[in-house]
Amino acid sequence: MTTPSAIYKHGDELEKHFQVDINNARYKTTNGSTTGPSEHVLNAGQIDRDRPSDPKLLDNTESSSPSYTPLSLLRMQLTGLQDDINIFLTERMEVAKMKKSKLASDAEEKRIEEEIKVLLDGGDDDNSETENEQ
Amino acid sequence: MKNGREMSLDYVLNLEIPFTTSRQAQIAAKVLVPDPILKPQDFQVEYLSQDNILAVHFRGIDDRVLRVGVSSVIDSIKTIIETIDELD
């Protein structure tokens, strides 16, 4: 059975592919790392009442290693894929935020420089001081 | 009453989810389609079932909008998968 996948695109400059690695533990759980209440909230005593249910076991599973239904496997794989997408887009958001912050900072710096320049160019009466001394 | 400002939705994510049967993919698409999008000018989503694959096409005005919308839809899809697993 194939696994879920995703492709992110932004214009012609960026394309990112998301694939599931079925041997990686992050694709073998229904509890995502980027969904649900934060650690801070859980540590404060909050109970996660919306916690995803555990994957469904195949009937008559008696072996020590559990076998899950195909749709449970899909749900676990999709959970890991969702985390991958969320982490990637959050990083992109941070980059955009830093760029915006730098632009604002550069604009502010330029504004201050302009103001200083205007103030310095406005005081152009050095000769009057010399005449007073004489 | 258009405000004249049309931002292009050029932040795109295409998601493919392989169900075990084409019927399941069709059910999932039919369940998802009626969900309203609060701000269609900022975010749009299309659903298509092709054989056993549910294809979801997301478009947003920026990465933040895309992240919120994509994660929300995936949560819905996981619920659908779980429901089908239990009841089908």
Side-chain angles (χ1 to χ4, degrees):
Chain A
M1 187 171 159
T2 55
T3 57
S5 62
I7 300 176
Y8 166 90
K9 291 181 188 176
H10 173 47
D12 294 327
E13 63 188 58
L14 179 63
E15 184 168 308
K16 164 86 175 170
H17 289 239
F18 298 91
Q19 299 284 354
V20 166
D21 177 3
I22 60 171
N23 296 316
N24 191 320
R26 67 189 281 108
Y27 304 103
K28 296 182 180 181
T29 175
T30 53
N31 288 311
S33 62
T34 62
T35 51
S38 66
E39 286 292 331
H40 176 76
V41 169
L42 290 172
N43 290 337
Q46 178 71 28
I47 297 171
D48 184 7
R49 299 186 191 282
D50 293 326
R51 185 174 172 273
S53 56
D54 291 335
K56 186 178 178 185
L57 289 167
L58 278 170
D59 290 339
N60 302 320
T61 299
E62 294 178 357
S63 65
S64 56
S65 59
S67 291
Y68 300 109
T69 62
L71 287 179
S72 283
L73 290 173
L74 176 63
R75 190 155 63 94
M76 290 190 283
Q77 290 163 7
L78 188 56
T79 299
L81 191 70
Q82 181 183 24
D83 284 340
D84 292 343
I85 294 169
N86 283 345
I87 290 168
F88 171 75
L89 290 177
T90 301
E91 286 172 357
R92 294 268 305 162
M93 285 162 56
E94 290 298 317
V95 167
K97 187 177 166 186
M98 282 172 54
K99 278 185 187 172
K100 190 177 173 185
S101 175
K102 184 169 186 314
L103 279 173
S105 174
D106 287 350
E108 177 67 8
E109 199 176 313
K110 190 176 178 184
R111 186 188 68 79
I112 293 171
E113 281 177 7
E114 289 289 333
E115 275 187 21
I116 292 172
K117 189 179 173 185
V118 165
L119 288 170
L120 290 175
D121 288 345
D124 207 11
D125 296 325
D126 290 341
N127 291 335
S128 62
E129 192 177 326
T130 310
E131 285 173 9
N132 287 339
E133 285 178 0
Q134 290 179 354
Chain B
M1 224 179 295
K2 294 174 86 169
N3 62 10
R5 186 188 73 139
E6 290 185 359
M7 298 193 65
S8 60
L9 306 180
D10 56 357
Y11 290 79
V12 173
L13 188 122
N14 293 315
L15 176 66
E16 288 193 349
I17 299 171
F19 283 84
T20 56
T21 66
S22 58
R23 177 173 164 273
Q24 291 170 354
Q26 286 169 18
I27 289 171
K30 283 183 183 174
V31 168
L32 290 162
V33 162
D35 279 353
I37 301 295
L38 287 177
K39 289 188 177 180
Q41 69 273 25
D42 292 351
F43 177 76
Q44 291 180 5
V45 58
E46 294 169 11
Y47 305 99
L48 182 65
S49 64
Q50 302 169 303
D51 297 324
N52 67 310
I53 306 286
L54 173 68
V56 190
H57 179 59
F58 301 95
R59 294 165 62 220
I61 56 165
D62 59 31
D63 287 313
R64 182 188 61 82
V65 165
L66 199 61
R67 190 208 186 281
V68 171
V70 167
S71 196
S72 173
V73 168
I74 290 180
D75 282 340
S76 297
I77 294 173
K78 288 193 297 183
T79 301
I80 293 169
I81 292 172
E82 185 180 354
T83 305
I84 294 175
D85 205 13
E86 287 296 325
L87 301 178
D88 199 15

